[in-house]
Amino acid sequence: MPDDELIFYGSCVVAPCRPVLVFLAEHSIPYHYKEVNILKGEHLTPEFLEKNPRHTLPLIGHRGQFISEGPAILSYLQEEFKIPRPPCSPQIYQLLSWAAEQLHWDIGFSYVYPQIYSELGSPDQDENNCLIESGIGKVCKDLDVLEKEYLAKQQWLLGERTLADTAVACIVVILELVLFDFKMWPHVTDWLTRVRQQPHWADIHKFHDEVVEKIRAEHTSSSELILNGNCCYRLTSNQQ
C-alpha cells in the first residue's frame, strides 16, 4: 500500500475505535480498514507490536508513521486534513482524553468486560465479583458527573454538539452489553438518544447494536454471556 494511504487498525469490539471512525466518516476522509481481533491476541503479535509497542487500539498508519490513542489520532487527522478546529477545542480534547482513558477503564475494564470477556476478568470467581462490585461504584460516579455537571442544564456536554459527545457516548453505551438500567440518570438517557441520531452513528455501531439485541433476546434463557471473536452467544446449562 502507498505510504500516503491512511490505514485504520481497529476492532468491532473496541469502543474507543468508534469516535475515530465517526470522525473519518463525517469528514469523508478515505481510509483502508484492518480488523485486529484482540480476543485472538492479534494485537500482541510481533507484526502489530512493531507498529504499536503499547498494543492498543485504535491505531492509524499514514505516510510511514503510526499513531495510537484516539485523542492523538483525532488531533493528527485534524491537522493533516486541515479540518477547522472548534472554538472550544481544549475542552473537547479534555473530554476525549477522559473518555479514552478513565471512563473506559471504569466502565469497561472495571465493570463490563469482567462480566463478558473471560480474557479480561479474573479466573477466580470471587475476585471477579469483587472487581465488578467495585466497578459499579465507579460507573455510578461517572454517570453522576455527566448527569449533574454536564447535562443538567444543557443538551450537549459543551453546550453544542461536538466530537466530545460522540467519544463519551461511545464509551457509555458499553454498559448496554450488560443490560444496564439508566433510569437514575434521565439527562444521560435523553442525551444518548440525541447522540444516536447524529450521522454515521448507526453505521459505526451496527455490530454493537446487533450484539445488544442478541443479549436482550436471550436474556431470560441463559446464564452467562461470552463474547468470542466476532460472535456473541450465551453459555446455557446444556453447554456447560
Side-chain angles (χ1 to χ4, degrees), residues 58-100:
L59 174 74
I60 63 168
H62 191 229
R63 295 184 175 175
Q65 61 180 322
F66 294 95
I67 302 166
S68 63
E69 307 300 332
I73 292 172
L74 291 165
S75 181
Y76 173 84
L77 293 173
Q78 199 159 36
E79 294 288 345
E80 184 67 23
F81 293 92
K82 297 179 173 55
I83 297 168
R85 291 181 178 272
C88 54
S89 182
Q91 293 173 285
I92 292 174
Y93 281 90
Q94 183 179 7
L95 280 172
L96 293 179
S97 297
W98 177 64

Side-chain angles (χ1 to χ4, degrees), residues 5-235:
E5 180 175 17
L6 179 67
I7 305 173
F8 182 91
Y9 300 85
S11 170
C12 60
V13 300
V14 177
C17 292
R18 295 171 198 153
V20 181
L21 291 171
V22 170
F23 185 88
L24 290 167
E26 186 171 348
H27 295 284
S28 302
I29 299 173
Y31 64 96
H32 178 75
Y33 182 89
K34 286 193 174 182
E35 177 76 12
V36 180
N37 192 325
I38 63 169
L39 300 181
K40 292 184 178 179
E42 292 179 359
H43 62 308
L44 300 175
T45 62
E47 179 184 7
F48 188 84
L49 291 173
E50 185 178 353
K51 299 178 179 68
N52 180 15
R54 297 186 65 185
H55 58 79
T56 57
L57 295 172
L59 174 74
I60 63 168
H62 191 229
R63 295 184 175 175
Q65 61 180 322
F66 294 95
I67 302 166
S68 63
E69 307 300 332
I73 292 172
L74 291 165
S75 181
Y76 173 84
L77 293 173
Q78 199 159 36
E79 294 288 345
E80 184 67 23
F81 293 92
K82 297 179 173 55
I83 297 168
R85 291 181 178 272
C88 54
S89 182
Q91 293 173 285
I92 292 174
Y93 281 90
Q94 183 179 7
L95 280 172
L96 293 179
S97 297
W98 177 64
E101 297 170 10
Q102 189 62 53
L103 187 64
H104 188 217
W105 182 264
D106 291 348
I107 289 177
F109 291 96
S110 298
Y111 182 63
V112 174
Y113 299 158
Q115 298 184 62
I116 64 176
Y117 297 120
S118 58
E119 297 89 345
L120 298 179
S122 171
D124 183 277
Q125 189 60 50
D126 289 337
E127 289 183 4
N128 208 52
N129 289 340
C130 287
L131 176 62
I132 294 166
E133 289 176 9
S134 173
I136 187 59
K138 298 176 183 178
V139 168
C140 291
K141 287 181 180 179
D142 291 332
L143 292 177
D144 282 344
V145 168
L146 294 173
E147 179 79 10
K148 299 173 183 177
E149 297 183 19
Y150 284 95
L151 297 168
K153 297 181 180 181
Q154 56 191 19
Q155 292 193 332
W156 304 102
L157 296 178
L158 297 174
E160 60 181 5
R161 184 175 73 84
T162 69
L163 187 58
D165 293 283
T166 303
V168 174
C170 283
I171 303 302
V172 172
V173 298
I174 297 173
L175 290 164
E176 295 175 341
L177 294 170
V178 291
L179 306 181
F180 188 85
D181 190 345
F182 288 92
K183 67 182 179 181
M184 292 177 60
W185 299 274
H187 295 309
V188 173
T189 301
D190 292 342
W191 165 74
L192 285 174
T193 299
R194 290 189 291 273
V195 175
R196 290 179 194 276
Q197 295 171 352
Q198 69 177 299
H200 311 295
W201 175 278
D203 290 340
I204 300 303
H205 285 79
K206 182 178 179 181
F207 175 78
H208 169 85
D209 292 341
E210 289 174 350
V211 171
V212 172
E213 286 306 310
K214 185 175 179 111
I215 293 169
R216 286 175 178 155
E218 299 180 357
H219 177 58
T220 58
S221 61
S222 33
S223 58
E224 182 180 357
L225 171 64
I226 304 292
L227 283 179
N228 184 8
N230 289 335
C231 66
C232 169
Y233 60 92
R234 287 196 178 253
L235 189 64

